[in-house]
Amino acid sequence: MDKIEIEGGRRLSGRVTISGAKNAALPILTSALLTDGSNTYTNVPGLQDIHSIRALLENHGASVSVDGHTVRIDASGLSNSEAPYELVRKMRASILVLGPLLARLGRARVSLPGGCAIGARPINLHLNGLERLGATIALRHGYVEAEAKKLVGADIYFDTVTVTGTENLMMAAVLASGRSVLRNAAREPEIVALAQVLNQMGADVQGAGTPVITINGVDTLKPTQTEIIPDRIETGTFLVAAALTGGDVIIDRCEPDHVGATLSKLSQAGVDISVGQNTIHVRGNASVTSVDFRTEPYPGFPTDMQAQFMVLMAVADGTSMINETIFENRFIHVSELKRMGADIRINGNTAMVHGVGRLSGAPVMASDLRASACLVLAGLVAEGTTVINRVYHLDRGYEALEEKFTALGAAIRRVR
Ligand code: EPU
């Protein structure tokens, strides 16, 4: 199994280009199931999760070709309505096929994704929403079995803001008859990006980016071409890396508007930031001040940046209170950071982080994607060598991470 080895203490400088967003690409590639004909997607990141969604779409009968960062998908041959456990277990986002399969084929049998390291992650809101659209749902032998001759528009209220839940329902409702209203919908940029693609395909989706999305169903959709938006979590990860190492980094091809909460917390912590149209220039200071934050649905501080920002707080001046409100078990990185000398105490969903100035390199274990990124950042700022085990998590969500950090001057390498 691959490991990543980092010699800490190097100041990062230079420019880094942000890749396409994993969490925008996954639903958008899945939306190809909604139409016949060839769809083209550019700026698709080269990630393990993209290979996983490709395998899943091919399993359903779509033909998929990948040429660098361009992916073409033609679902004219869509036939198989079953998403088997072997494919779904590799990636929870596989549940995104449920809405499109039901809308196109009138039936779907999709393996339940199960829990994961960061929490139970139920899909009850996806299923309740589909039932509201007229689907009959049964859970049998670990699978969701859904059927609907024709989905019918409905008023759907989400008890909790759910990103993939909103996406699944949007994709189901675009081909339903009549009007659907999604209330307490997620407002993430990935939702807006999916709505734009659906509208380019001929759908009528209004209000994406607000808590109320209205969808007027249409009979058919046509193929489209689209560019995947920049990854806001990768952007945030590099922002924190630059700040942590007292670096001077220009982040290119990003969308500053999508990282507003992270930028604002960095400024509050004393990091010098200037924002251009698609670039952000970060200059880290010798000392960073502790700030408190809580994770929230967009536009709040993203849970996917909590672990990385915690590293900055671990070496900051003062004490930071970090409140995780989205997932019940998203502090798994804390025990590894403590092994590197961090002073962190957890009480329920709050972490109290006393800045210690410097971390020390150690062998550590990655537990999930963002926790892995957090350990890489910790390794960059630690004295001595950090070896991160189980880095396959990183390959799911960060394209060319070692290459990008190496180009900025980090001493990082993959040991195969
Ligand atoms: N929830 C329910 N019932 C549901 C759905 C969600 O109770 O039916 C709860 C979840 O358990 C959680 C909260 O609602 O407590 C929010 O979960 P959400 O459904 O929004 O998460 P998700 O759609 O499964 C996406 C991202 C995650 C990101 C979260 C939150 C994708 C493919 N995944 O997951 O990304 O953390 O939104 O922003 O878009 C990552 O990239 O590392 C990652 C985990």
Side-chain angles (χ1 to χ4, degrees):
M1 228 181 270
D2 291 5
K3 297 175 181 184
I4 283 185
E5 199 177 278
I6 303 172
E7 203 59 48
R10 304 269 183 103
R11 181 173 173 269
L12 300 185
S13 72
R15 307 185 82 110
V16 60
T17 301
I18 297 304
S19 298
K22 165 180 87 76
N23 290 348
L26 293 172
I28 288 174
L29 298 184
T30 308
S31 73
L33 294 181
L34 291 165
T35 180
D36 286 340
S38 180
N39 297 273
T40 304
Y41 308 101
T42 54
N43 200 33
V44 178
L47 299 171
Q48 191 50 49
D49 272 11
I50 300 297
H51 300 315
S52 299
I53 202 79
R54 174 186 184 169
L56 187 61
L57 298 178
E58 285 177 336
N59 153 81
H60 292 301
S63 70
V64 184
S65 70
V66 180
D67 177 10
H69 291 108
T70 301
V71 175
R72 289 190 180 78
I73 305 177
D74 186 337
S76 308
L78 180 67
S79 51
N80 179 12
S81 59
E82 176 159 332
Y85 176 67
E86 300 74 59
L87 293 174
V88 174
R89 74 181 171 84
K90 292 191 179 151
M91 187 183 61
R92 291 188 47 84
S94 304
I95 195 65
L96 285 166
V97 298
L98 186 57
L101 288 176
L102 204 48
R104 271 304 289 293
L105 298 174
R107 61 182 191 283
R109 186 167 187 267
V110 178
S111 172
L112 282 161
C116 75
I118 61 176
R121 304 185 75 180
I123 55 159
N124 57 316
L125 303 175
H126 301 232
L127 303 184
N128 294 349
L130 292 171
E131 278 179 334
R132 297 273 306 154
L133 294 181
T136 314
I137 308 253
L139 301 183
R140 286 193 199 101
H141 307 296
Y143 278 74
V144 178
E145 294 180 356
E147 259 187 53
K149 279 208 173 63
K150 175 77 184 161
L151 294 171
V152 181
D155 207 294
I156 294 162
Y157 168 74
F158 294 106
D159 289 328
T160 305
V161 174
T162 161
V163 177
T164 49
T166 303
E167 291 163 349
N168 230 339
L169 267 296
M170 274 164 70
M171 291 193 280
V174 285
L175 289 178
S177 62
R179 169 178 293 211
S180 298
V181 182
L182 308 183
R183 300 182 194 276
N184 199 25
R187 290 179 281 165
E188 272 66 6
E190 294 76 21
I191 303 283
V192 177
L194 175 63
Q196 272 169 4
V197 172
L198 293 171
N199 286 341
Q200 276 170 225
M201 294 168 82
D204 180 0
V205 181
Q206 310 296 329
T210 78
V212 181
I213 300 177
T214 305
I215 301 158
N216 293 304
V218 296
D219 289 336
T220 53
L221 296 176
K222 57 181 191 296
T224 192
Q225 174 159 1
T226 200
E227 181 177 322
I228 303 298
I229 59 171
D231 196 309
R232 63 194 167 94
I233 306 302
E234 188 196 14
T235 305
T237 303
F238 279 101
L239 283 168
V240 172
L244 259 179
T245 62
D248 185 347
V249 174
I250 295 176
I251 299 178
D252 287 320
R253 220 164 145 186
C254 62
E255 182 45 80
D257 269 358
H258 294 173
V259 288
T262 307
L263 286 178
S264 153
K265 283 290 155 191
L266 284 171
S267 300
Q268 230 177 301
V271 179
D272 184 6
I273 288 172
S274 24
V275 171
Q277 206 184 356
N278 291 113
T279 65
I280 305 172
H281 189 170
V282 203
R283 275 168 294 227
N285 284 326
S287 83
V288 170
T289 313
S290 292
V291 292
D292 298 338
F293 66 95
R294 54 186 280 134
T295 62
E296 281 180 346
Y298 189 86
F301 192 95
T303 175
D304 289 345
M305 278 302 301
Q306 178 255 109
Q308 301 90 313
F309 211 92
M310 188 184 284
V311 182
L312 187 63
M313 295 300 97
V315 296
D317 196 5
T319 299
S320 161
M321 302 289 273
I322 301 177
N323 195 217
E324 170 59 54
T325 75
I326 307 292
F327 292 112
E328 60 273 27
N329 192 26
R330 216 172 194 184
F331 283 145
I332 324 165
H333 46 282
V334 167
S335 51
E336 299 303 288
L337 289 178
K338 284 167 85 164
R339 296 183 54 254
M340 297 177 73
D343 180 356
I344 305 172
R345 257 168 271 177
I346 296 178
N347 185 2
N349 64 351
T350 301
M352 188 162 70
V353 187
H354 292 289
V356 291
R358 202 76 204 257
L359 298 177
S360 68
V364 288
M365 191 71 83
S367 52
D368 69 85
L369 172 56
R370 307 305 169 186
S372 314
C374 140
L375 296 176
V376 169
L377 298 187
L380 291 176
V381 77
E383 250 167 63
T385 309
T386 297
V387 178
I388 303 166
N389 295 283
R390 294 205 186 145
V391 295
Y392 55 83
H393 292 292
L394 274 177
D395 299 330
R396 290 191 43 213
Y398 288 90
E399 186 177 40
L401 189 79
E402 305 100 88
E403 288 84 344
K404 289 185 183 185
F405 274 125
T406 301
L408 292 174
I412 177 169
R413 67 185 186 107
R414 184 174 288 243
V415 184
R416 292 193 190 270

